[in-house]
Amino acid sequence: MTQVETAARTTSGTQRTERIEARANALLGDCRRAFHAFGELDELAENLRILSLNAELAAGRAGDKGRAVRALTQYTRELVNRLAQIRGEMNQLRQRTDALSEKIEEELRQLRSIEENSFGGGDSAVFAEMMRSLVDKLDDLSTNVEELSRRAHGVEEVVSQSDSIATNIAIEAAAAGVHEKEFRTVSDTMRRYVDNLRTMIDEASDAVRRALEKVDSLRRLGIENLQSLRG
């Protein structure tokens, strides 16, 4: 092989790794944005919990007129517990994704180094093995993104249910007499928290959607490269 041919193959190989690296970085960026969007989930869940406790006290003061509101606040606490569970699962998922992203980034650096320094040489078997390892990690990352998507859907369900509770409390407020203002305040506050949750889920869902698109494309690219190495 002439020096020109070797240089051409090296450039082609380096560009191939650069394409994978660029797509991987974009994908990991989407994952980080999704996790970041849920950064205030704990605070919102705590706000909902405190609101439900205050609403239950108000319902107690209202006697029979607060019976339905009391039941609604108990359901709200169940939703708060669900948010806490989702948040715990997301923390674990983020730790796994961060650890996986570090491994992917390191393997990409090593792949680029091999291609830049000895593409087509004796390190081709090592390169192929590393590419296979990278594809495996991309499979794991794909699973993580799918799990993140399911958690985001779980938050969406909580948002929808919380919105329904706020509406029902507003309906009860209309028939609560002197306690109407207090119940109305609970309903309005809950709607504000719901709006914050909805904004959060919109931002996260957009990042998750982009990540799902990228991870499938990136995995296919890795498999194509692995197949080309096998000849």
Side-chain angles (χ1 to χ4, degrees):
M1 183 181 295
T2 66
Q3 290 182 342
V4 172
E5 290 172 331
T6 300
R9 290 193 63 184
T10 299
T11 300
S12 175
T14 301
Q15 290 174 345
R16 177 176 57 187
T17 302
E18 287 176 347
R19 285 198 300 272
I20 297 175
E21 189 170 11
R23 295 187 188 186
N25 287 335
L27 166 60
L28 294 172
D30 284 331
C31 290
R32 293 184 184 109
R33 280 192 290 275
F35 285 119
H36 179 73
F38 286 115
E40 296 181 359
L41 189 58
D42 283 339
E43 181 179 351
L44 279 171
E46 178 63 11
N47 287 341
L48 274 173
R49 187 188 69 81
I50 293 173
L51 179 65
S52 70
L53 293 175
N54 291 335
E56 188 169 24
L57 291 174
R61 290 191 292 270
D64 288 342
K65 291 184 177 180
R67 185 178 304 167
V69 173
R70 188 158 50 248
L72 290 169
T73 58
Q74 291 172 353
Y75 188 37
T76 301
R77 283 203 292 279
E78 292 179 10
L79 295 181
V80 169
N81 291 337
R82 176 59 181 148
L83 283 180
Q85 178 186 354
I86 292 173
R87 184 56 179 166
E89 293 168 350
M90 280 188 176
N91 285 337
Q92 294 178 357
L93 189 57
R94 181 169 192 166
Q95 291 174 1
R96 294 202 305 270
T97 302
D98 286 345
L100 191 58
S101 68
E102 290 179 3
K103 293 177 181 178
I104 289 173
E105 289 169 348
E106 176 59 26
E107 288 195 356
L108 282 168
R109 283 193 293 269
Q110 293 180 32
L111 284 169
R112 177 188 281 191
S113 177
I114 292 173
E115 283 193 322
E116 287 176 345
N117 297 318
S118 57
F119 185 80
D123 287 333
S124 59
V126 175
F127 183 88
E129 182 60 33
M130 288 192 63
M131 182 62 72
R132 186 178 299 107
S133 175
L134 177 62
V135 169
D136 288 342
K137 289 179 175 60
L138 292 174
D139 279 338
D140 292 339
L141 185 58
S142 176
T143 299
N144 283 7
V145 173
E146 289 170 358
E147 289 186 14
L148 177 58
S149 179
R150 286 192 287 272
R151 301 303 181 277
H153 182 65
V155 176
E156 282 184 306
E157 291 178 343
V158 171
V159 169
S160 177
Q161 293 164 356
S162 298
D163 193 31
S164 295
I165 290 175
T167 298
N168 286 325
I169 291 177
I171 292 172
E172 293 298 324
V178 296
H179 302 281
E180 178 180 357
K181 182 178 180 180
E182 200 167 14
F183 288 163
R184 184 77 61 182
T185 298
V186 170
S187 176
D188 292 344
T189 303
M190 181 171 287
R191 285 193 186 282
R192 188 170 71 251
Y193 294 156
V194 166
D195 288 342
N196 291 339
L197 280 168
R198 188 171 286 117
T199 298
M200 179 185 299
I201 199 65
D202 286 346
E203 294 176 0
S205 294
D206 181 65
V208 170
R209 178 184 57 79
R210 292 173 183 273
L212 284 170
E213 293 172 353
K214 288 184 177 70
V215 74
D216 185 55
S217 174
L218 181 57
R219 182 179 175 278
R220 287 200 304 269
L221 180 59
I223 292 175
E224 289 171 5
N225 286 334
L226 184 57
Q227 290 173 340
S228 70
L229 289 169
R230 291 171 176 169

